[in-house]
Amino acid sequence: MRTLVIGDIHGGFKALTQLLERAGVAKDDTLIFLGDYVDGWSESAQVIQYLIDLSKVNNCVFIKGNHDAWCEQWLASGFVNDVWFQHGGKETIESYNGFSEDDKKAHLNFFEDMEMYHIDAKNRLFVHAGFTSMHGVEKEYNVQIFYFDRTLWEMAFTMDKRIKKDSSLYPNRLKHYSEIYIGHTPTLNYNRTEPMNAVNVWDIDTGAAFNGRLSAIDVNTKEVFQSDRVMDLYPNENGRNKN
């Protein structure tokens, strides 16, 4: 029995199914998804339906990302956020052609039930983007920070590795959890195509929305699984590369 954490999918249904096949996912595996299931490639609605069905077979944890919050808002009210529309929302709306109103209601319920963060039995934190409170996620003052913050990763990535955990200079944010797993910030920004580790933070977003791959990591062994480049699976599309 494994625990696999999966990065940002962004409508790449073909990449998702390929990744899970390559990882050899079994029914007793726990799957933790870090959010941003939609926006980018053309099969966002298909991704959501697949994940709903998958949760009936596997123990799944679904974290909410910023793109998911935008899509949820649209499904709930019909409101189209301008930023969302320009960054994958248009493709997501189009992916719902052929889906019934009942399907959309089921998807809305799926979005509404997503967790803002998850802490497992080994005190590992899973969150889409990060958090800012020095007292931990329970003391965060604004839930939107969980899916928009980039300062947690920037702090971990630039931290002086000579600072020991018992030092007064060691960031309090990093002391609360044994490990922290995030998405949201593509590792492509650092010219890396695989998940990155800094201090006790792991970034699993390997740029599937752009010209990267969809990635998963076994949290115990740190074995990495990846799809093909998602853009190669959708050769007639641009994903979010046009933005």
Side-chain angles (χ1 to χ4, degrees):
M1 183 175 68
R2 301 174 298 172
T3 297
L4 302 177
V5 57
I6 296 98
D8 306 33
I9 301 167
H10 283 293
F13 175 68
K14 295 176 184 177
L16 173 60
T17 55
Q18 184 184 69
L19 173 66
L20 297 184
E21 181 179 357
R22 288 181 175 178
V25 171
K27 292 182 180 179
D28 60 354
D29 289 332
T30 293
L31 306 175
I32 302 177
F33 294 87
L34 291 174
D36 279 4
Y37 311 97
V38 300
D39 301 350
W41 307 102
S42 61
E43 297 187 285
S44 289
Q46 291 78 4
V47 165
I48 299 303
Q49 187 60 52
Y50 181 84
L51 293 176
I52 291 173
D53 294 338
L54 182 65
S55 68
K56 299 173 184 177
V57 178
N58 285 81
N59 178 33
C60 295
V61 175
F62 300 109
I63 307 297
K64 184 176 293 186
N66 55 303
H67 287 267
D68 309 315
W70 285 323
C71 187
E72 177 185 348
Q73 183 181 43
W74 170 68
L75 286 170
S77 67
F79 176 77
V80 178
N81 181 289
D82 288 339
V83 174
W84 175 58
F85 190 80
Q86 296 172 20
H87 291 271
K90 177 178 181 292
E91 289 75 13
T92 294
I93 292 172
E94 291 172 351
S95 77
Y96 273 93
N97 291 335
F99 280 74
S100 69
E101 290 304 311
D102 286 342
D103 293 332
K104 292 180 180 178
K105 288 178 182 178
H107 289 201
L108 174 59
N109 290 338
F110 178 73
F111 282 112
E112 290 177 338
D113 288 342
M114 289 178 185
E115 300 182 32
M116 290 299 176
Y117 60 83
H118 174 73
I119 302 172
D120 71 6
K122 295 187 177 180
N123 196 35
R124 293 179 292 218
L125 170 68
F126 304 85
V127 63
H128 178 64
F131 63 99
T132 60
S133 174
M134 64 183 292
H135 303 293
V137 292
E138 293 88 348
K139 299 296 184 180
E140 191 56 77
Y141 70 93
N142 183 346
V143 296
Q144 291 186 357
I145 286 174
F146 293 133
Y147 51 73
F148 276 120
D149 176 63
R150 295 193 196 276
T151 64
L152 178 80
W153 173 250
E154 291 172 349
M155 175 186 64
F157 185 72
T158 59
M159 183 175 162
D160 189 331
K161 305 305 184 290
R162 295 172 296 179
I163 301 176
K164 302 301 181 183
K165 196 168 185 177
D166 58 357
S167 169
S168 61
L169 298 177
Y170 195 93
N172 284 322
R173 273 194 284 178
L174 301 181
K175 293 179 180 179
H176 296 285
Y177 311 103
S178 58
E179 291 181 320
I180 302 171
Y181 290 86
I182 64 169
H184 192 58
T185 300
T187 61
L188 297 179
N189 294 355
Y190 303 88
N191 298 313
R192 293 282 296 275
T193 59
E194 293 193 349
M196 295 175 63
N197 170 233
V199 198
N200 64 339
V201 182
W202 290 83
D203 181 2
I204 316 298
D205 179 3
T206 50
F210 302 100
N211 60 0
R213 304 169 189 268
L214 179 61
S215 296
I217 188 169
D218 184 321
V219 298
N220 293 313
T221 67
K222 301 302 183 286
E223 182 177 6
V224 171
F225 305 93
Q226 291 191 299
S227 71
D228 292 345
R229 290 197 312 168
V230 187
M231 63 186 297
D232 295 333
L233 298 174
Y234 295 91
N236 298 316
E237 301 178 24
N238 293 318
R240 294 182 60 208
N241 292 301
K242 61 189 176 183
N243 296 315

